[in-house]
């Protein structure tokens, strides 16, 4: 609103915009930084959010790489306690 101060309405709109854009990790990060905790439950294990499909046209995007799936050893290291 033309000043360096962030009024309540702007603050709420900023986070509503983040959530509407699917940027949940940004809100989680800020909550942990400012409040000491967020919505994440460490005992629930690592985050497993994935994109099931990505639709694009050759004129707008170009595939650059594909990542191999985790090996069994990598999966064991990620999914074994402790989560944090």
């Amino acid at each position: 609103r033309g000043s360096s101060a962030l009024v309540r309405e702007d603050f709420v709109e900023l986070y509503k915009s983040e959530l509407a854009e699917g940027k949940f990790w940004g809100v989680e990060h800020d909550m942990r930084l400012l409040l000491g905790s967020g919505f994440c439950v460490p005992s629930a294990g690592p985050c497993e959010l994935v994109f099931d499909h990505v639709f694009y046209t050759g004129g707008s995007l170009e595939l650059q790489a594909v990542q191999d799936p985790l090996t069994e050893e990598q999966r064991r290291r990620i999914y074994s306690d402790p989560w944090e």
Side-chain angles (χ1 to χ4, degrees):
R1 298 185 187 225
S3 74
S4 60
L6 186 65
V7 296
R8 183 180 189 95
E9 295 83 26
D10 293 339
F11 177 84
V12 170
E13 286 304 313
L14 173 70
Y15 281 96
K16 282 173 59 177
S17 174
E18 289 284 296
L19 294 171
E21 293 175 17
K23 298 178 181 176
F24 305 108
W25 62 88
V27 176
E28 176 74 15
H29 170 269
D30 291 353
M31 288 180 65
R32 284 177 171 264
L33 185 68
L34 298 171
L35 304 174
S37 66
F39 292 115
C40 180
V41 178
S43 62
C47 176
E48 295 186 70
L49 300 176
V50 298
F51 288 111
D52 292 326
H53 297 84
V54 177
F55 297 98
Y56 68 95
T57 63
S60 62
L61 295 172
E62 180 181 327
L63 179 65
Q64 296 291 312
V66 175
Q67 184 174 351
D68 290 329
L70 298 174
T71 66
E72 286 303 315
E73 174 58 27
Q74 290 169 325
R75 288 182 64 77
R76 268 193 298 281
R77 288 179 22 219
I78 291 171
Y79 292 100
S80 61
D81 287 331
W83 303 119
E84 295 215 348

